[in-house]
């Protein structure tokens, strides 16, 4: 189903605020003589109200817990709040949701002032229709109550809203308000925690949130291996569609690749001409290669450029990444433009035979238009480079 609203938790979901919170908790505990571990181990302070954690985990009485909270804020207000970073992809996710007219809210146990300070700092406050945090004098409100406030301010029925969070409190709070929930794995919760709390969805990619909100998400239920080769693996998956129906997908996993559009000082593109076995045809391509496991795409591109063309470049500029066959294959190709080029010797693999051709950019465009150049990454890379050079 498609949702009309998305409510986000803040700490561990939108923003990685862990360092500041944990160091400030350690600061407070040390100040009052508690035997606390290193700050990295104080993750119990992420999620629930501080007043609750100081009492339940460290046995402080209510009065002492309030003193600990004040000590925590002594450091956090002046330093800890700024020891934070947005999770990668958050801004792009918010932009996607807003473009699709999905209302966005925040429901967090974090004080409202801290939330708004960070939203302003990262320039994303305008994406939210409502922000529901707590006050410094009433910071023990339950997560279910905060979510209820947010739901009311969004003015949407519960069955059209989904709650996104990284801890069980977010999932349980959603359940108490009879709304669906998403447990995310980039924060401080675990997959088991989300399963036990009853999350409808559990995801590890920021892009999955928009897929769920738009009603497109497909959940993997079972994976059956079919083939494992030197480069690719093939598997047959049982999935659940967004409407609850079952389906099957055949998937090819590929480690991904990199491709380089090298442009000389004479406005020529470095092309390679080689035989491609699946097509039984000689084709024109920009130099490219497969990524090794864990390899940085830019480093791979520099390597492939040197091996195939015997070339080095002073400047490499990202042209983005493309999904060449999204219907069945996971391959991602990273594109780069290379300029200020010098030439040396090729270092081809034993089974690699190709010619390097300097083709004027105008001729590349003509051959793309005529259909002579057929390779997708080459067409996209050259056309993206042309757009950049025309700007």
């Amino acid at each position: 189903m498609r949702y009309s609203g998305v409510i986000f938790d803040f700490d561990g979901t939108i923003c990685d605020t862990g360092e500041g919170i944990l160091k400030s908790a350690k600061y407070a505990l040390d100040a009052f003589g508690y035997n606390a571990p290193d700050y990295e181990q104080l993750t119990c302070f992420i999620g629930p109200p501080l007043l609750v954690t100081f009492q339940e985990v460290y046995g402080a009485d209510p009065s002492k817990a309030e003193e600990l909270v004040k000590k925590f804020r002594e450091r956090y207000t002046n330093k800890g709040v700024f020891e934070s970073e947005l999770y990668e992809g958050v801004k792009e996710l918010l932009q996607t949701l807003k473009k699709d007219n999905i209302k966005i809210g925040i429901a967090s146990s974090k004080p409202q002032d801290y939330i708004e300070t960070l939203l302003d700092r990262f320039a994303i406050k305008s994406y939210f229709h409502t922000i529901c945090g707590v006050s410094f004098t009433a910071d023990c409100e339950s997560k279910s109550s905060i979510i209820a406030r947010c739901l009311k301010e969004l003015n949407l029925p519960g069955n059209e809203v989904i709650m996104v969070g990284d801890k069980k409190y977010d999932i349980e709070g959603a359940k108490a308000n009879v709304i669906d929930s998403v447990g995310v794995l980039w924060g401080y919760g675990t997959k088991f925690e989300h399963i036990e709390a009853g999350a409808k969805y559990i995801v590890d990619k920021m892009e999955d949130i928009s897929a769920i909100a738009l009603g497109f998400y497909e959940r993997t239920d079972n994976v059956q291996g079919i083939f494992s080769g030197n480069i690719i693996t093939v598997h047959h998956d049982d999935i659940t569609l967004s409407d609850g129906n079952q389906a099957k997908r055949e998937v090819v996993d590929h480690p991904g690749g990199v491709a380089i559009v090298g442009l000389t000082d004479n406005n020529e593109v470095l092309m390679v001409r080689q035989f491609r076995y699946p097509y039984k045809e000689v084709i024109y391509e920009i130099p490219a290669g497969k990524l090794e496991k864990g390899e940085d795409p830019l480093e791979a591109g520099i390597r492939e450029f040197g091996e195939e063309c015997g070339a080095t470049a002073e400047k490499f500029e990202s042209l983005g990444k493309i999904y060449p066959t999204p219907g069945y294959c996971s391959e991602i190709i990273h594109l780069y433009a290379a300029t200020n080029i010098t030439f040396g010797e090729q270092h081809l693999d034993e089974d690699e035979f190709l010619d390097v051709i300097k083709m004027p950019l105008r001729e590349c465009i003509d051959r793309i238009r005529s259909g002579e150049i057929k390779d997708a990454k080459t067409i996209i890379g050259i056309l993206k480079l042309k757009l950049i050079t025309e700007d």
Side-chain angles (χ1 to χ4, degrees):
M1 67 165 288
R2 185 185 179 105
Y3 295 93
S4 301
V6 178
I7 299 175
F8 289 94
D9 174 48
F10 189 77
D11 294 334
T13 303
I14 288 177
C15 193
D16 184 0
T17 55
E19 181 180 348
I21 291 173
L22 303 185
K23 285 184 175 179
S24 298
K26 173 69 171 173
Y27 174 82
L29 291 167
D30 287 348
F32 284 88
Y34 285 85
N35 184 24
D38 292 339
Y39 78 88
E40 294 93 343
Q41 300 176 48
L42 294 174
T43 55
C44 56
F45 284 93
I46 306 289
L50 293 170
L51 204 61
V52 172
T53 305
F54 281 124
Q55 292 180 74
E56 291 186 351
V57 178
Y58 284 91
D61 59 44
S63 176
K64 179 64 71 175
E66 287 184 5
E67 292 183 58
L68 285 160
V69 170
K70 288 179 181 178
K71 200 67 179 177
F72 171 97
R73 288 179 182 151
E74 180 178 286
R75 181 188 187 278
Y76 191 77
T77 300
N78 299 308
K79 186 174 183 180
V81 69
F82 301 109
E83 296 169 327
S84 305
E85 294 182 356
L86 274 186
Y87 284 108
E88 185 177 353
V90 165
K91 194 164 189 176
E92 293 78 6
L93 170 61
L94 297 175
Q95 289 170 343
T96 297
L97 296 177
K98 189 165 186 176
K99 285 178 183 177
D100 282 282
N101 297 313
I102 294 172
K103 289 186 176 182
I104 312 170
I106 289 178
S108 172
S109 296
K110 194 180 195 70
Q112 184 98 7
D113 287 355
Y114 291 150
I115 298 172
E116 295 190 4
T117 294
L118 289 172
L119 293 179
D120 285 332
R121 182 187 182 200
F122 295 119
I124 59 171
K125 188 176 180 180
S126 62
Y127 291 104
F128 296 94
H129 291 78
T130 185
I131 301 162
C132 295
V134 298
S135 69
F136 290 122
T137 56
D139 61 352
C140 208
E141 184 180 2
S142 70
K143 195 58 179 275
S144 62
S145 173
I146 301 169
I147 293 172
R149 283 197 286 118
C150 191
L151 191 60
K152 184 177 180 180
E153 292 192 23
L154 289 176
N155 194 29
L156 293 171
N159 62 352
E160 294 184 13
V161 177
I162 195 159
M163 175 70 203
V164 181
D166 70 311
K167 296 288 287 180
K168 66 178 182 179
Y169 311 102
D170 306 307
I171 310 306
E172 292 169 350
K175 188 181 294 185
N177 284 279
V178 197
I179 64 175
D180 292 338
S181 60
V182 181
V184 304
L185 299 179
W186 55 78
Y188 291 87
T190 64
K191 187 173 184 178
F192 178 77
E193 180 178 346
H194 294 314
I195 292 172
E196 193 174 49
K200 183 171 183 177
Y201 303 97
I202 301 173
V203 302
D204 57 9
K205 290 171 55 184
M206 195 68 66
E207 296 86 349
D208 291 338
I209 304 300
S210 57
I212 291 169
L214 296 170
F216 298 147
Y217 187 69
E218 298 178 354
R219 186 186 72 215
T220 303
D221 298 321
N222 182 57
V223 177
Q224 180 181 350
I226 298 174
F227 169 79
S228 181
N230 293 327
I231 298 176
I232 65 168
T233 60
V234 183
H235 50 95
H236 189 182
D237 297 1
D238 298 316
I239 67 164
T240 298
L241 301 171
S242 59
D243 63 0
N245 288 323
Q246 308 299 306
K248 295 181 182 294
R249 297 283 184 263
E250 292 178 353
V251 182
V252 177
D253 285 336
H254 187 285
V258 62
I260 307 294
V261 187
L263 189 67
T264 69
D265 293 340
N266 295 324
N267 216 36
E268 299 165 318
V269 176
L270 295 185
M271 303 282 280
V272 296
R273 183 173 57 180
Q274 60 186 321
F275 184 80
R276 284 303 195 180
Y277 182 81
Y279 301 102
K280 303 295 193 294
E281 185 179 340
V282 175
I283 66 174
Y284 288 100
E285 302 174 56
I286 54 177
K290 176 177 65 69
L291 285 172
E292 301 299 331
K293 186 176 181 181
E295 186 175 21
D296 177 76
L298 178 56
E299 291 181 2
I302 294 171
R303 183 195 69 234
E304 292 294 336
F305 198 48
E307 290 178 355
E308 292 194 1
C309 297
T312 58
E314 290 183 14
K315 183 179 179 182
F316 285 87
E317 181 181 358
S318 174
L319 295 176
K321 55 187 179 182
I322 60 172
Y323 297 177
T325 48
Y328 63 88
C329 184
S330 67
E331 182 181 16
I332 298 173
I333 298 177
H334 302 261
L335 298 175
Y336 293 92
T339 52
N340 298 336
I341 297 170
T342 56
F343 294 92
E345 293 185 3
Q346 288 177 300
H347 299 281
L348 300 177
D349 295 334
E350 291 182 358
D351 61 349
E352 197 171 24
F353 303 91
L354 55 83
D355 290 333
V356 178
I357 298 169
K358 297 177 182 178
M359 187 179 295
L361 179 58
R362 182 68 261 172
E363 182 180 341
C364 291
I365 301 300
D366 290 341
R367 292 195 186 204
I368 289 171
R369 184 180 288 113
S370 70
E372 185 178 355
I373 294 178
K374 305 169 186 175
D375 175 61
K377 67 181 180 295
T378 300
I379 294 170
I380 295 170
I382 289 172
L383 292 181
K384 290 189 79 169
L385 178 64
K386 183 174 184 293
L387 288 172
I388 290 173
T389 56
E390 289 178 347
D391 287 345

